[in-house]
């Protein structure tokens, strides 16, 4: 495939991606071939030093149930005075969409590549998964919340001390067309130097 060939339809897809809240997600989630494509996209991200500083944990059905049980137990232990609403939220956390991919940033010290760069690569991986899901006709949302920082959840995944949960990537189908979220203006956030866009500044 020529890298110099414009693909205007692809940019349209890129510019229509948006998150859909998990409460507005329904089945089906990505099937096995779609999930394979999503994971392929997740690993085709810039990765300084080829360190593959990320790992993926896929949860569906019983896997989500087991993770829910771990989250609720850990949450209760750490927050004995929590409200029933907080408990219910944690109870449903891992099961809030048909498919969950937990993305962990797992930096390596095999080469002198900055930790920050390796963590950025995990962020790129999350974004690639959201994009891939969108292109395959599914929706996604990237969440963290309390479980991302829970040692019990880290332990369940076998994460090491330097590893972090970059996100819980939830996937499903959209129950309805969501309203558009306001997006930033290019002019508010970008400064141009020596480009066509800075003429007249
Ligand atoms: C690292 C990270 C963690 C996030 N965690 C949460 C979260 O815990 N809860 C939440 O409501 N949104 C969270 N968000 C925001 C949503 O994923 C998403 O950005 C937001 O719903 C708007 O989506 P869109 O700009 O993709 O349409 C997080 C975003 C990032 C990048």
């Amino acid at each position: 495939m020529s890298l110099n060939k414009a693909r205007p339809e692809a940019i349209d897809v890129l510019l229509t991606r948006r998150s859909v809240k998990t409460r507005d997600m329904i089945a089906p989630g990505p099937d096995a071939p779609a999930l394979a494509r999503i994971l392929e996209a997740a690993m085709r991200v810039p990765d300084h030093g080829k360190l593959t500083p990320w790992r993926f944990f896929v949860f569906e059905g019983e896997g989500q149930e087991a993770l829910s049980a771990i989250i609720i137990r850990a949450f209760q232990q750490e927050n004995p005075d929590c409200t029933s609403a907080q408990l219910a939220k944690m109870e449903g956390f891992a099961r809030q969409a048909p498919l969950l991919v937990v993305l962990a940033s797992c930096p390596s010290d095999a080469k002198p590549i900055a930790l920050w760069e390796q963590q950025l690569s995990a962020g790129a991986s999350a974004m690639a998964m959201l994009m891939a899901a969108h292109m395959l006709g599914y929706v996604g949302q990237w969440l963290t919340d309390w479980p991302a920082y829970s040692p019990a959840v880290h332990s369940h995944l076998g994460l090491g001390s330097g590893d972090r949960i970059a996100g819980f990537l939830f996937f499903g189908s959209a129950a309805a067309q969501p309203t558009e979220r306001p997006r930033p203006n290019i002019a508010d956030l970008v400064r141009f130097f020596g480009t066509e866009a800075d003429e007249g500044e």
Side-chain angles (χ1 to χ4, degrees), residues 182-192 201:
R183 300 292 168 175
N185 292 318
I186 290 177
D188 293 339
L189 301 171
V190 185
R191 292 180 63 199
F192 297 94
E201 265 194 11

Side-chain angles (χ1 to χ4, degrees), residues 17-19 21 130 141-145 166 181 183:
R17 188 213 59 83
R18 55 152 305 145
S19 297
K21 290 185 191 306
L130 292 176
Q141 192 179 24
W142 178 355
L143 301 179
T144 43
D145 213 329
R181 173 185 171 103
R183 300 292 168 175

Side-chain angles (χ1 to χ4, degrees), residues 65-82 86-87 90-91 93 145-157 165 168:
E65 298 296 330
L67 182 59
S68 279
I70 281 160
I71 291 173
I72 191 86
R73 198 177 322 129
F75 189 76
Q76 273 177 314
Q77 273 170 6
E78 285 185 36
N79 304 278
D81 301 325
C82 66
Q86 285 173 317
L87 265 187
M90 285 303 128
E91 215 273 322
F93 183 83
D145 213 329
W146 185 88
Y149 304 96
S150 160
V153 175
H154 283 222
S155 162
H156 182 60
L157 301 178
I165 292 180
F168 292 85

Side-chain angles (χ1 to χ4, degrees), residues 6 25 28 43 54 76 81 99 154 158 174:
M25 279 185 208
M43 296 179 204
W54 6 259
Q76 273 177 314
D81 301 325
L99 177 73
H154 283 222

